[in-house]
């Protein structure tokens, strides 16, 4: 069992009377984002350590509780000790920490006490020193008895700092954070303006995460260009999804009215809008919108392929239909067979099929474009099956 211990005691640097944990972050509050990361790592219980309860914090805690995890609010180590199951592993999150799910996953598993560290020269302000050349990177995995040890100390001791010292004295393993693990998004932030900048970096890291070449090197760079402006304007997630739908429908209309190259290009642009919207929806804890936009990308790509195949019927042959249906079937099987752990950068995705078709379709050869995409899907399917099979 994994329990999360999140500290929310410090005030924001630039907003008097406001807790840093309740500063806005990507359409929600910082503590909601932290809770999302901890729950995604497998935590079934959250303990929030507070110095005082504000209306903003109460609202954030209420929204966190809707995720189906138990949320308890405590003021000190004694109360925390009473709430945490003695057999649980405790994932500690520092006050004001901003990071990514990949970093949290480093400490989310079972194991002995561990502290995430980084080199003192690489540490940003807010990280506490835990060694000659090591600073605490804001995350730790501890046994509940460490909290019991802090509970036995005077109550005027700072809970977070004392817990860190107790863990260090107990010879907790120091896990060095891999360079670039958070894409520059890891840090302690209590300033609202700097926190907004961190949000942009987090989103950039999210859209850069895909392994496939088309998503990583075509969509991700374009998404990083427009994300800061969208975040600054508070663009709602549904608006991006609606924009993607309008562009995608425009692409389908262009193919229908004999502008196939334009139609495929517009479908790629629609995929870009859905990619950005999916990242925003994940950050804002809008699972339904995130799932819908993730599904819309292959959906519009499949419709575009079907329309290209339908165009060949004007020549009195069903070759186009055959190629488009073969492409869709192979692509669906690729998605079933491919796994994040086995996927390779060259494997095809919905956007990769569109890119493969773009030039021949734009030149007036839709059947060649469909043939290239179908062969690409077939080769990827073969590789995915081979990767999926058990090796002797």
């Amino acid at each position: 069992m994994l329990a999360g211990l999140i500290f929310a005691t410090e005030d924001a640097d630039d907003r008097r009377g406001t807790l840093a944990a309740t500063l806005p972050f990507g359409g929600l509050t910082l503590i909601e984002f932290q809770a999302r990361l901890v729950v995604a790592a497998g935590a079934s219980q959250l303990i929030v350590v507070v110095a005082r309860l504000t209306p903003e914090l109460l609202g954030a805690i209420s929204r966190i509780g809707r995720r189906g995890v138990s949320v308890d609010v405590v003021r000190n180590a004694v109360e925390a000790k009473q709430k945490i199951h003695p057999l649980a592993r405790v994932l500690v999150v520092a006050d004001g920490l901003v990071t990514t799910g990949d970093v949290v996953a480093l400490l989310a598993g079972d194991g002995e006490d561990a502290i995430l560290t980084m080199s003192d020269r690489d540490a940003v302000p807010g990280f506490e020193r835990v060694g000659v050349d090591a600073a605490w990177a804001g995350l730790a995995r501890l046994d509940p008895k460490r909290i019991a040890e802090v509970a036995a100390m005077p109550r005027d001791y700072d809970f977070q700092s004392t817990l860190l010292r107790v863990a260090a004295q107990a010879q907790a393993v120091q896990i060095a954070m891999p360079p670039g693990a958070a894409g520059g998004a890891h840090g302690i932030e209590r300033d609202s303006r700097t926190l907004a900048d961190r949000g942009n970096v987090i989103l950039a890291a999210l859209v850069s995460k895909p392994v496939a070449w088309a998503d990583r090197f075509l969509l991700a760079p374009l998404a990083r260009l427009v994300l800061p402006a969208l975040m600054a304007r508070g663009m709602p997630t549904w608006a991006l999804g609606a924009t993607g739908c309008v562009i995608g429908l425009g692409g389908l209309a262009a193919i229908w009215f004999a502008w196939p190259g334009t139609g495929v290009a517009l479908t790629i642009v629609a995929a870009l809008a859905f990619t950005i919207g999916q990242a925003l929806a994940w950050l804002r804890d809008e699972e339904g919108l995130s799932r819908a936009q993730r599904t819309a990308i292959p959906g519009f790509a499949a419709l575009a392929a079907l329309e290209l195949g339908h165009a060949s019927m004007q020549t009195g042959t069903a070759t186009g239909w055959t190629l488009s249906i073969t492409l869709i079937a192979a692509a669906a099987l690729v998605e079933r067979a491919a796994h994040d752990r086995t996927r390779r950068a060259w494997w095809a995705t919905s956007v990769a099929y569109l890119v493969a078709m773009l030039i021949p379709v734009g030149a007036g050869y839709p059947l060649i474009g469909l043939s290239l995409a179908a062969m690409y899907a077939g080769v990827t399917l073969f590789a995915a099956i081979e990767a999926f099979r058990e090796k002797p």
Side-chain angles (χ1 to χ4, degrees), residues 22-49:
T22 60
L23 288 175
F25 185 81
L28 59 162
T29 60
L30 176 56
I31 192 172
E32 289 175 77
F33 175 71
Q34 293 172 329
R36 178 169 177 74
L37 294 179
V38 175
V39 171
S44 56
Q45 179 188 23
L46 293 178
I47 309 295
V48 181
V49 182

Side-chain angles (χ1 to χ4, degrees), residues 63-84:
R63 291 188 293 271
I64 292 170
R66 297 172 191 167
R67 294 189 54 82
V69 297
S70 64
V71 183
D72 294 295
V73 179
V74 302
R75 295 181 181 272
N76 51 54
V78 174
E79 295 179 6
K81 173 190 172 183
Q82 296 170 350
K83 297 293 184 180
I84 296 176

Side-chain angles (χ1 to χ4, degrees), residues 3-4 22 36 136 157 180 201 222 225 229 244 257 259 265 293 300 336 354 370 385:
T22 60
R36 178 169 177 74
W136 182 43
Y157 284 13
V201 178
L222 294 173
L225 287 176
F257 291 107
W259 292 87
Q293 293 183 84
F300 275 100
R336 291 285 295 172
L354 295 171
L370 286 171
I385 292 174

Side-chain angles (χ1 to χ4, degrees), residues 131-382:
V132 177
D133 187 36
W136 182 43
L139 288 169
R141 181 185 62 231
L142 302 176
D143 190 285
K145 64 184 179 182
R146 305 296 169 225
I147 298 174
E149 292 173 12
V150 177
M153 298 180 180
R155 292 199 179 189
D156 56 349
Y157 284 13
D158 182 81
F159 187 1
Q160 178 176 296
S161 295
T162 306
L163 182 61
L164 176 61
R165 302 305 165 198
V166 167
Q169 291 171 8
Q171 304 297 314
V173 175
Q174 294 189 8
I175 300 176
M177 192 169 74
H186 190 88
I188 298 287
E189 293 298 346
R190 298 192 179 100
D191 181 89
S192 59
R193 291 161 296 187
T194 310
L195 187 60
D197 294 337
R198 289 278 185 185
N200 293 335
V201 178
I202 290 283
L203 278 175
L206 285 177
V207 298
S208 300
K209 191 175 181 180
V211 175
W213 66 270
D215 303 74
R216 188 178 185 89
F217 300 113
L218 178 63
L219 296 187
L222 294 173
R224 286 196 299 268
L225 287 176
V226 300
L227 271 173
L230 295 178
M231 289 286 288
R233 289 170 173 77
M235 175 72 74
T237 309
W238 65 264
L240 282 166
T243 300
C245 288
V246 170
I247 297 173
L249 291 173
L252 296 177
I255 296 174
W256 185 265
F257 291 107
W259 292 87
T262 302
V264 172
L266 286 175
T267 306
I268 295 174
V269 176
L272 171 63
F274 289 133
T275 299
I276 299 172
Q278 180 184 339
L280 279 174
W282 184 92
L283 182 64
R284 295 169 177 173
D285 201 14
E286 298 169 343
E287 286 291 345
L289 285 172
S290 178
R291 186 166 51 252
Q293 293 183 84
R294 183 168 59 250
T295 305
I297 297 176
F300 275 100
L303 290 174
L306 286 174
E307 283 201 354
L308 289 172
H310 176 74
S312 71
M313 295 296 290
Q314 299 177 359
T315 63
T317 175
T319 303
W321 273 113
T322 302
L323 288 172
S324 61
I325 293 174
T326 301
L327 167 61
I328 293 171
L333 290 173
V334 166
E335 292 304 312
R336 291 285 295 172
H339 193 278
D340 290 340
R341 291 194 299 268
T342 59
R343 185 180 290 275
R344 301 292 181 267
W346 64 269
W347 287 9
T349 61
S350 300
V351 177
Y353 300 130
L354 295 171
V355 174
M357 291 189 291
L358 182 58
I359 294 178
V361 169
Y365 302 100
L367 293 182
I368 294 178
L370 286 171
S371 299
L372 289 174
M375 287 189 291
Y376 191 7
V379 172
T380 302
L381 179 59
F382 175 80

